[in-house]
Structure formats: C-alpha cells, structure tokens
C-alpha cells in the first residue's frame, strides 16, 4: 500500500518536470497560378497541380482565366487580384507561377500582343511587380498544342516560348520550360496517342485523320491550309470570352492530360526552384 502511494505521488510530480517543449508552428506558404485556359480550371493543368502536387503546408490559388493573354489579363484587372493575393499577410513565402502565350498570338482581337515588344514587356512587368510584393515569380513557357503534319509536331508556340526563356534569363527568374517538355512528350506519343490528353474523344473524322499523322481542324474537319499556323485550329473548345466547354481540341486538356502535365510541371519546378521542394509532391 505504501509502495503504491509512493508511485502515485511520483507520477503526480513528474509531468511538470518532463513536460515537452511547445511545438513550434510551421508557417504555411502560398502558390498562385496566373495564366490562360491551359492553366485554368476546365481545360488546364492547374487543378491537378493544386489538388495532387501541393502539400498541406501551402495554399494553392488558381487565378488563371480562359482566353486571356499577357496583356488582357492585366487590362481586365485579373492581375490586380493576383497582386492582392500576394499581399496577404501570414505566409512564410509566396510563389507566383506565370504562363502566357496562347492568346498573345496574332488573330485574337483585343488580346494579341506584339511578340517583339508587348509580350516580353508584359512578362517583365509580372516579374517586377511580383518581386515588389515580396513574392517569388516563376515563368513557364506555354503548353504545346498537339497538332501534327506527316507525323511531326507543329509547335507554333515556339517563338513565344523562346521569348519567355529570354525574359527569364534577362531577369534571372526561375524557368519551367513546359513548352519544350510537353513538345518532347507529345512528339514521342504521336497524334493518336496524345489525343488522349484532350477533354473529350475526337469525332470519327478527326480520329481517322490522327491515324494518318496529320491533324485536321477539330471543329469543322477542314484541313489547315499548307503552312498555316496551327493556331487556326486551336480554339474549338473556348467561347469568345474564354468560357470553356467540354469538347475535343488540340490545346486544352481533360483529366488525364491535366494529371500528366501537372506532374511534369511539378518535376521541373522542383529543379527550377529548389526552395519549393518541401511544398511539392512529385
């Protein structure tokens, strides 16, 4: 009985002495996605990236919008919303992933930007204003379009990708070369296999063309004119103001494509911005 009381007394006295040190809270970080429909929900890789490749130590905010170019995104006020997100207090760090190019190409009324002047100037503005908010900018080259002639990928976005690379080098900004990586993958898969990345199955006519190695316009079935830019075939699944609808085209991605390219972005993001490694799930 006495021994039991002694043990009980010892147990009562030990917690204060053996009390564990308080747990140090880990401050969360934030990742903001800025871009067009190939990053946005319903058509882009962004939703899969935020859902499956970001840990609970980071908030992932997808502010990409369909149909926007590097210029129209600023003009309509979407960039102001992104800047406001960067200003939110309490986060240990904030990273801003920026991908434009598709809607900067010629033939997009109210959206097209000049490749030699406006486009790089806009990108430099994104970088400078992100840094001014204390956040870290990361530039991405535009996701490739999956269009082919005689089995060879027609990467009509390469000039815009090169412009992004040049701005990244000049401003010493981390770069994820999504255009190059996605082009390598799509070329290796070929037209028929890479069509699985689309939002919906192709029509019988389009599917038959895929097997020949040359893609045709996804909306009308009319082949592109020889030498015509592949951009002429790319907007079948986007309404004039960028309101996406589920349809087959060569630009936007469904769940399989989103999952694949989100994993690819994550892989290259870890290499480009090592400080993000603890926030990402490969």
């Amino acid at each position: 009985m006495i021994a039991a009381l002694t043990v009980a007394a010892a147990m009562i006295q030990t917690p204060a002495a053996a009390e564990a040190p308080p747990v140090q809270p880990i401050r969360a970080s934030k990742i903001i996605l800025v871009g067009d429909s190939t990053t946005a929900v319903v058509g882009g890789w962004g939703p899969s990236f935020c859902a499956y490749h970001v840990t609970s130590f980071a908030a992932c905010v997808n502010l990409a919008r369909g149909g926007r170019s590097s210029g129209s995104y600023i003009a309509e006020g979407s960039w102001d919303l992104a800047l406001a997100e960067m200003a939110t207090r309490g986060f240990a760090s904030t990273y801003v992933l920026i991908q434009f190019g598709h809607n900067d190409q010629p033939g997009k009324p109210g959206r097209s930007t000049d490749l030699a002047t406006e486009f790089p100037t806009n990108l430099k503005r994104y970088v400078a204003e992100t840094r001014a908010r204390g956040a870290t900018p990361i530039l991405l080259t535009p996701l490739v379009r999956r269009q082919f002639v005689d089995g060879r990928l027609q990467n009509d976005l390469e000039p815009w990708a090169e412009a992004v690379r040049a701005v990244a080098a000049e401003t010493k900004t981390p770069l994820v070369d999504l255009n190059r990586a996605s082009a390598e993958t799509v070329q290796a898969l070929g037209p028929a296999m890479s069509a699985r990345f689309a939002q919906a199955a192709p029509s019988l006519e389009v599917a038959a063309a895929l097997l020949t190695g040359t893609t045709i316009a996804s909306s009308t079935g009319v082949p592109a004119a020889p030498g015509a830019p592949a951009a002429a075939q790319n907007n079948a699944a986007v309404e004039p103001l960028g309101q996406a609808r589920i349809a087959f085209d060569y630009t936007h991605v469904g769940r399989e494509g989103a999952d694949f390219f989100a994993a690819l972005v994550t892989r290259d993001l870890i290499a480009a911005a090592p400080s993000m490694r603890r926030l990402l799930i490969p």
Side-chain angles (χ1 to χ4, degrees), residues 12-265:
I12 293 173
Q13 295 173 6
T14 49
E19 188 174 297
V23 176
Q24 295 297 318
I26 299 177
R27 294 173 62 199
S29 294
K30 179 185 285 188
I31 302 172
I32 302 171
L33 308 185
V34 168
D36 56 34
S37 58
T38 59
T39 301
V41 297
V42 190
W45 53 266
S48 288
F49 174 80
C50 289
Y52 305 114
H53 295 281
V54 176
T55 73
S56 60
F57 294 106
C60 191
V61 183
N62 192 345
L63 296 182
R65 302 192 67 192
R68 273 59 181 180
S69 69
S70 66
S72 66
Y73 191 88
I74 294 172
E76 72 181 10
S78 290
W79 179 237
D80 290 332
L81 296 178
L83 291 173
E85 282 289 341
M86 297 176 216
T88 304
R89 296 182 179 181
F91 289 95
S93 55
T94 298
Y95 298 90
V96 185
L97 278 56
I98 303 160
Q99 183 208 284
F100 286 105
H102 292 82
N103 298 300
D104 288 88
Q105 290 184 302
K108 308 291 181 70
R111 296 174 288 170
S112 299
T113 63
D114 183 80
L115 177 59
T117 58
E118 292 177 278
F119 184 59
T121 297
N122 289 339
L123 293 181
K124 291 174 187 177
R125 175 175 173 177
Y126 286 118
V127 168
E129 294 187 359
T130 296
R131 286 175 172 158
R133 295 303 190 283
T136 301
I138 298 169
L139 292 173
L140 286 78
T141 55
L143 180 70
V144 76
R145 292 193 178 99
R146 304 175 298 278
Q147 299 181 122
F148 290 80
V149 172
D150 295 330
R152 293 197 61 81
L153 180 68
Q154 304 300 292
N155 188 0
D156 68 321
L157 283 158
E158 170 57 29
W160 283 262
E162 184 56 35
V164 177
R165 295 181 195 115
V167 171
E170 180 182 342
T171 60
K172 296 180 172 54
T173 302
L175 174 73
V176 171
D177 200 342
L178 179 57
N179 183 267
R180 180 169 294 162
S182 59
E184 291 172 354
T185 297
V186 171
Q187 178 64 70
L189 290 174
M193 287 294 291
S194 64
R196 295 173 55 185
F197 291 149
Q199 293 177 298
S203 67
L204 293 177
E205 187 177 13
V206 170
L210 292 171
L211 294 176
T212 71
T214 298
T215 54
I216 61 176
S218 58
S219 56
T220 64
V222 178
Q233 303 178 12
N234 93 94
N235 275 334
V238 179
E239 302 295 348
L241 294 179
Q243 181 59 50
R245 57 187 175 88
I246 305 300
F248 177 86
D249 71 1
Y250 305 107
T251 299
H252 304 93
V253 294
R255 176 62 185 272
E256 184 173 348
D259 287 348
F260 184 91
F261 292 117
L264 194 153
V265 167

